[in-house]
Amino acid sequence: MRKAARFFNPLFFTTLIILGFYGCSEDDDDDDIGNWVDRSVFDGSPRSGVSGFVIDNIGYMGVGYDGDDYLSSFWSYNIEGDYWSQKADFPGTPRNAAVGFEINGKGYIGSGYDGVDELNDFYVYDPTNNSWTQIASLPNTKRRSAVAFGANGYGYFGTGYDGDNDLKDFWKYDPTSNTWTELEGFGGNKRRAATTFTINGIVYFGTGVSNGTYLDDFWAFDPVTETWTKKLDLDEEDDYDVSRSNAVGFELNGYGYIACGEISGATSSVWEYDPSTDTWEEKTNFEGATRQDAIAFSNSSRAFVGMGRTGTLYLDDLDEFFPFEEYDDED
Amino acid sequence: MLLCLIAYGLSHLSTFDTSAEGILRSEIIALPNGYGYQIYSGDQVLIRQEFIPAIYGQTPFSSKRDAKAVADLVMEKIKNRSNPQVTKEEMEELKIRILSSP
């Protein structure tokens, strides 16, 4: 092991990412704050509707759709080293529009769409031995374009589209007993392709679409009490333009972000949520191509957005987001 | 001695291809129980594969030849702008030897 490590060190250092840019150049013009920097070109086939999760400093993503095929390959992105590795294939039917979430150091992927049917099977990935195990299927409507998140040792899953109708039910997965139970109390409307992010243990949920209407309600879920609290609407201020579907949500340094997605066509706009004031602020647009069905990896101190599609062009790049840097079009 | 080893490794274990955009090349890496590979585009590591892709477990390649065969396949896919995922069927065709996980 020592020999291998030494052999690589000189090469590794050239690829290490230099950090520490935060907060160096605030600007009065809000529109110019937030910078996106190109990261590893994922030379996987361009794919969209991928699912994933972050465990420690590794982002995992897989399945998805590349325009021709539904995929089962599964990859890890090493945030520190800025490279990809192909991991054990996802064992279920190849699919897109699945969900991914993390509970206690293990990743979960399930539900989705295989090109013909909606799905309700779920699998757990153990990064310590690079293997998958099927877990209990959702004992309810098969669906795609749902949301899911891990919180407080449980998985939560809800909303989505069953092929005929949009849905508003939520379910809780207990990894200890391998069981799903329905969770009452969500007061929002049915929808598909919503998004979430988690700040200091509170999960924020919003966006999505139903019957052509982009929803503008916004909710906070406290996993300790399992209660939902309605926050200010996403159109509370006249200049808010947060509503959309198929967006990515992520947390970075205590703020929440909703980026990219679709609102009558793919969008690259990015909004920042401040949980202390329940307000939104627009950031620099995503600098890669405009996209929907992308994926975000965040380890809370760094965040990356990539993959996704725009129209029929499937994308394969990954950008790192620096929300407090001045916009620089050279990087 | 170590430097010599590194220099030897870089010059002998890498295959260069200048026809692709950027310089795409692979490097076979020595691991405690076998071999892996890295795929570079210029100076940047795109893919680092310490274990045989697609299969469960953390099993390295059992020979340099196997690691290079799969690395070449992946580079070919990248050059063709096709999905560089490696399937179990492709590895069977390449006669990759897969020992059970340690």
Side-chain angles (χ1 to χ4, degrees), chain A residues 1 3-4 6-8 10-12 14-15 39-41 43-47 66 71-73 75 81-89 91 127-133 316, chain B residues 2 5-6 9-10 13 25 27-32 37-38 40 43-58 74 78 81-88:
Chain A
M1 189 62 200
K3 189 173 169 187
R6 278 187 194 158
F7 183 81
F8 272 107
L11 294 169
F12 248 130
T14 63
T15 65
R39 283 299 175 231
S40 183
V41 170
D43 280 77
S45 69
R47 57 172 79 191
D66 69 3
L71 307 169
S72 60
S73 63
W75 296 77
D82 185 25
Y83 59 79
W84 293 89
S85 307
Q86 188 181 345
K87 310 303 261 189
D89 287 347
T128 63
N129 60 12
N130 184 36
S131 67
W132 292 92
T133 308
D316 64 355
Chain B
L2 187 64
L5 196 66
I6 291 167
L10 288 178
L13 295 178
R25 66 185 168 89
E27 177 181 73
I28 307 307
I29 58 181
L31 298 163
Y37 59 81
Q38 296 195 130
Y40 286 82
D43 290 336
Q44 178 167 13
V45 178
L46 294 178
I47 296 172
R48 177 179 167 88
Q49 203 68 43
E50 295 181 16
F51 309 115
I52 298 175
I55 65 165
Y56 282 24
Q58 299 174 328
V74 172
I78 292 172
R81 300 294 301 155
S82 63
N83 191 333
Q85 70 186 13
V86 179
T87 65
K88 292 167 195 163

Side-chain angles (χ1 to χ4, degrees), chain A residues 124-278:
Chain A
V124 58
Y125 178 76
D126 185 346
T128 63
N129 60 12
N130 184 36
S131 67
W132 292 92
T133 308
Q134 186 165 7
I135 62 166
S137 295
L138 182 75
N140 191 264
T141 319
K142 298 179 177 185
R143 67 188 80 187
R144 61 172 129 151
S145 303
V147 295
F149 49 87
N152 207 28
Y154 298 98
Y156 295 89
F157 172 90
T159 67
Y161 175 65
D162 70 5
D164 293 314
N165 296 298
D166 294 316
L167 304 162
K168 61 184 285 185
D169 53 335
F170 266 85
W171 293 77
K172 175 183 182 179
Y173 177 71
D174 181 345
T176 308
S177 60
N178 188 27
T179 52
W180 293 91
T181 49
E182 189 162 8
L183 185 75
E184 307 288 346
F186 174 60
N189 291 321
K190 61 186 183 176
R191 72 193 68 201
R192 73 183 85 163
T195 194
T196 69
F197 51 77
T198 303
I199 306 173
N200 294 326
I202 303 295
V203 182
Y204 295 87
F205 168 93
T207 71
V209 64
S210 185
N211 295 323
T213 300
Y214 296 94
L215 293 136
D216 56 23
D217 54 340
F218 192 62
W219 298 84
F221 177 73
D222 184 341
V224 176
T225 58
E226 294 188 332
T227 52
W228 293 90
T229 306
K230 198 168 192 305
K231 309 303 283 185
L232 291 177
D233 282 349
L234 299 178
D235 62 354
E236 178 71 17
E237 300 286 337
D238 288 342
D239 63 345
Y240 280 6
D241 192 15
V242 185
S243 296
R244 64 193 62 198
S245 68
N246 304 79
V248 291
F250 57 91
E251 182 267 344
L252 186 59
N253 299 316
Y255 294 93
Y257 295 88
I258 286 181
C260 306
E262 191 265 340
I263 180 153
S264 308
T267 180
S268 60
S269 70
V270 179
W271 287 81
E272 178 183 84
Y273 180 71
D274 183 343
S276 66
T277 56
D278 195 15

Side-chain angles (χ1 to χ4, degrees), chain B residues 18-37:
Chain B
T18 52
S19 65
E21 258 188 53
I23 299 173
L24 204 59
R25 66 185 168 89
S26 69
E27 177 181 73
I28 307 307
I29 58 181
L31 298 163
N33 300 311
Y35 300 89
Y37 59 81

Side-chain angles (χ1 to χ4, degrees), chain A residues 7-41:
Chain A
F7 183 81
F8 272 107
N9 273 342
L11 294 169
F12 248 130
F13 283 129
T14 63
T15 65
L16 283 178
I17 299 158
I18 296 163
L19 290 174
F21 295 112
Y22 292 108
C24 53
S25 54
E26 289 279 345
D27 191 297
D28 288 332
D29 184 349
D30 288 347
D31 290 343
D32 288 335
I33 298 301
N35 194 27
W36 294 87
V37 178
D38 286 347
R39 283 299 175 231
S40 183
V41 170

